[in-house]
Amino acid sequence: MEILELLALAVGLAIGGAAVLLLVAVAGRRAIPERLEINGVRILKDSFVTVCLLPLDGGDVALFDAGADRNAKAVLAELGRMGLGRENVKTIFLTHGHRDHIAGARQFPNAQVMALAGEVDVAEGRTSPGGPFMVVMPVKPSGLKVHRALEDGEAVELGSVKVRVFAVPGHTPGSAAYLVNGVLILGDAADAAKDGRVRSAPWLFTASRAENRASLRRLAERLSGEGSVQAMVFGHSAALPEGIEPLAAAAREW
Ligand SMILES: [Zn+2]
């Protein structure tokens, strides 16, 4: 076999292997519905990710993540149905800085972008988020500016609404979960499988699976006794409306 043929075979095998790994990592997720509302939190499907939209007092809107679509079509359509526009989005909370969750942010120039302090460099594109797949991706500026760095345990007040902030490092170094109106928004820290079980972050895209699971275990312990969680929302799968228990049950087995 010629050297070029050997090279082509090696490249082909590598691409095929990567595709199989990708499928294994993301298979079996509970599919995201087009639109779902829980306690005033509107969960939108933006291709393969979710974006949460929360109407606030005075026509202001907060987003949790900004989606994979650079044009933010799903979010702009929902704003249109509410008689609002992009200028009404005043806050964007990032669960983490992976590009498929921040791409739409450029469509909302009035928004103050918030992320955990440990995620600012990832979100702005100054450092790799880590993980087997992401370490081969180039590190380059995302064009996004984080205006406010958040800390674990703090609460951000937006009029009459309070957003609690929790650090859940592991998927990325500064991954965050947010609790608002009884809805726990977990980003990619966890996933819902088709059978309704909670899974930890997909290893292929995750900096430290052990740290991710430890973070989720700690979060479940922290929130189980409160009765404060009515539903959980995930970055790539459908929401679960059964409180914190599916996460606590999964964490007991890890
Ligand atoms: Zn991610």
Side-chain angles (χ1 to χ4, degrees):
M1 212 183 274
E2 297 276 342
I3 190 84
L4 276 177
E5 284 175 327
L6 274 172
L7 263 175
L9 182 67
V11 169
L13 283 173
I15 292 172
V20 169
L21 284 175
L22 198 68
L23 276 176
V24 168
V26 303
R29 286 169 165 164
R30 195 174 149 98
I32 306 167
E34 282 303 320
R35 195 180 170 285
L36 180 71
E37 184 169 340
I38 304 174
N39 296 351
V41 179
R42 299 171 186 220
I43 305 148
L44 311 176
K45 178 176 190 249
D46 171 10
S47 60
F48 58 103
V49 300
T50 60
V51 177
C52 290
L53 185 155
L54 178 67
L56 301 165
D57 304 333
D60 287 356
V61 166
L63 299 181
F64 295 84
D65 287 336
D69 173 14
R70 290 161 61 95
N71 298 314
K73 281 195 294 291
V75 177
L76 290 169
E78 183 70 12
L79 289 167
R81 282 190 283 273
M82 299 162 70
L84 302 174
R86 68 184 79 229
E87 66 281 2
N88 294 92
V89 175
K90 299 290 171 57
T91 314
I92 301 175
F93 292 93
L94 298 180
T95 60
H96 64 301
H98 280 162
R99 298 296 168 98
D100 54 339
H101 301 267
I102 67 173
R106 69 188 68 214
Q107 296 295 334
F108 307 102
N110 291 349
Q112 218 198 1
V113 177
M114 304 189 189
L116 271 185
E119 193 71 357
V120 173
D121 284 349
V122 170
E124 295 187 353
R126 277 191 302 278
T127 185
S128 168
F133 184 79
M134 303 310 291
V135 291
V136 300
M137 304 294 278
V139 174
K140 56 178 187 196
S142 64
L144 182 89
K145 167 105 183 81
V146 176
H147 303 98
R148 180 168 163 187
L150 302 169
E151 299 296 334
D152 178 47
E154 82 170 276
V156 178
E157 292 193 17
L158 301 171
S160 57
V161 170
K162 196 175 3 166
V163 178
R164 291 170 67 191
V165 181
F166 301 97
V168 285
H171 178 59
T172 60
S175 281
Y178 300 101
L179 179 60
V180 60
N181 292 359
V183 178
L184 183 64
I185 298 164
L186 285 153
D188 289 358
D191 247 338
K194 280 187 181 137
D195 62 4
R197 287 183 200 218
V198 170
R199 304 193 300 203
S200 52
W203 64 272
L204 190 57
F205 306 102
T206 293
S208 166
R209 202 170 198 204
E211 191 181 18
N212 166 251
R213 288 183 164 185
S215 292
L216 291 174
R217 203 176 295 121
R218 211 165 42 239
L219 184 69
E221 281 165 11
R222 211 162 155 180
L223 295 176
S224 283
E226 289 187 5
S228 53
V229 177
Q230 287 157 39
M232 292 187 290
V233 175
F234 309 93
H236 293 278
S237 41
L240 292 177
E242 296 108 3
I244 193 78
E245 183 48 31
L247 178 63
R252 283 193 289 272
E253 294 185 5
W254 292 333

